[in-house]
Amino acid sequence: MTFEEIKHNETVRMLIEKADATLGTLGYTEHSFAHVGSVADRCGYILTTLGYPAELVEKARIAAWLHDIGNLINRVDHSQSGALMAFRLLDKMGMPMEDIADIAAAIGNHDEGNGMPVSPMAAALILADKSDVRRSRVRNDDKSTFDIHDRVNYSVTKTELKINEAHTLIKLKLTVDTHYSSAMDYFQIFMERMQLCQKAAESLGLHFQLMFNEQKMM
């Protein structure tokens, strides 16, 4: 079973749309196809660059595409809900159980609340997910009513996640319009996420570095 098959499956797409609609009602930023597509691309980039087998890269991209469907149930513990949903969905689609287990483990461990980089797939998913900060994720058109999550995401005009040539460092570079938010705002809501990114990078044999307008923050 391929990533492209999962990507274009009507049931999967409906679940992603419904989960994103639930978050939209609750006032969260975009978690739809743009987000999961970005996360899938970054998962592929991380694991391919580090030399992991194509089969594992494909599974990681599938995990990335499905990682937020648990938001349909509730934002709280959505990684665990999503892992269970993905398990049932992929089983019905006929995926081998060994592959399902790997994907479910990655999904179930991607969130900073209780997740851990239990595998290279999980580590790549954590780094890819937590690095997706960008202006276009903000749904609110009224800047005067932005909350801190809106301000932080809206302030980021460019995001780059790059592994160096020596494969010793993974760097998240943010270009930020400080008119809308500061580094302090970013760390106020994302500190746990960045700490989890550090753990994920270390599990892949990398050092994690965060750059904020060319200034090293971590």
Side-chain angles (χ1 to χ4, degrees):
M1 187 170 298
T2 68
F3 170 68
E4 287 299 320
E5 288 177 294
I6 299 297
K7 181 177 179 179
H8 297 291
N9 181 275
E10 291 184 8
T11 299
V12 170
R13 295 184 71 84
M14 179 271 292
L15 290 173
I16 293 171
E17 288 175 343
K18 292 288 188 181
D20 181 57
T22 297
L23 291 184
T25 301
L26 295 173
Y28 285 89
T29 53
E30 178 267 327
H31 284 70
S32 190
F33 300 117
H35 172 59
V36 299
S38 173
V39 175
D41 288 346
R42 285 180 178 165
C43 275
Y45 161 73
I46 292 167
L47 294 173
T48 299
T49 301
L50 295 178
Y52 284 92
E55 183 177 313
L56 187 144
V57 174
E58 191 80 349
K59 288 191 291 185
R61 295 177 73 205
I62 291 171
W65 192 257
L66 297 174
H67 80 279
D68 270 341
I69 59 175
N71 286 305
L72 176 65
I73 307 301
N74 199 297
R75 180 61 179 171
V76 178
D77 295 330
H78 75 280
S79 56
Q80 285 76 35
S81 301
L84 293 173
M85 291 169 68
F87 191 103
R88 183 176 186 276
L89 180 67
L90 296 173
D91 187 33
K92 287 187 68 176
M93 294 174 72
M95 178 178 280
M97 188 54 63
E98 183 177 359
D99 294 340
I100 296 173
D102 291 341
I103 290 168
I107 294 172
N109 278 280
H110 83 269
D111 195 53
E112 67 272 13
N114 44 28
M116 289 293 289
V118 296
S119 67
M121 283 175 53
L125 180 55
I126 288 166
L127 287 160
D129 181 41
K130 306 315 173 193
S131 63
D132 188 24
V133 185
R134 52 187 161 80
R135 177 167 290 187
S136 56
R137 294 194 70 183
V138 178
R139 304 178 198 262
N140 186 359
D141 294 325
D142 184 358
K143 298 183 183 67
S144 67
T145 62
F146 275 2
D147 63 13
I148 189 170
H149 290 85
D150 291 332
R151 291 200 309 272
V152 166
N153 279 277
Y154 192 83
S155 71
V156 178
T157 59
K158 186 177 180 180
T159 305
E160 294 180 89
L161 186 70
K162 293 293 183 183
I163 297 172
N164 68 350
E165 290 186 8
H167 296 175
T168 58
L169 173 72
I170 185 165
K171 183 184 297 186
L172 174 58
K173 293 182 65 176
L174 304 177
T175 303
V176 180
D177 181 348
T178 55
H179 175 74
Y180 294 101
S181 74
S182 64
M184 185 63 71
D185 288 334
Y186 184 87
F187 280 110
Q188 183 177 334
I189 62 172
F190 285 158
M191 177 58 83
E192 280 189 284
R193 300 181 191 185
M194 295 300 98
Q195 290 173 332
L196 184 57
C197 282
Q198 281 187 319
K199 293 178 183 177
E202 289 168 2
S203 75
L204 293 169
L206 302 169
H207 174 67
F208 177 73
Q209 188 176 101
L210 173 65
M211 303 292 293
F212 193 96
N213 285 348
E214 300 300 328
Q215 297 296 313
K216 181 179 174 181
M217 307 302 292
M218 293 179 70

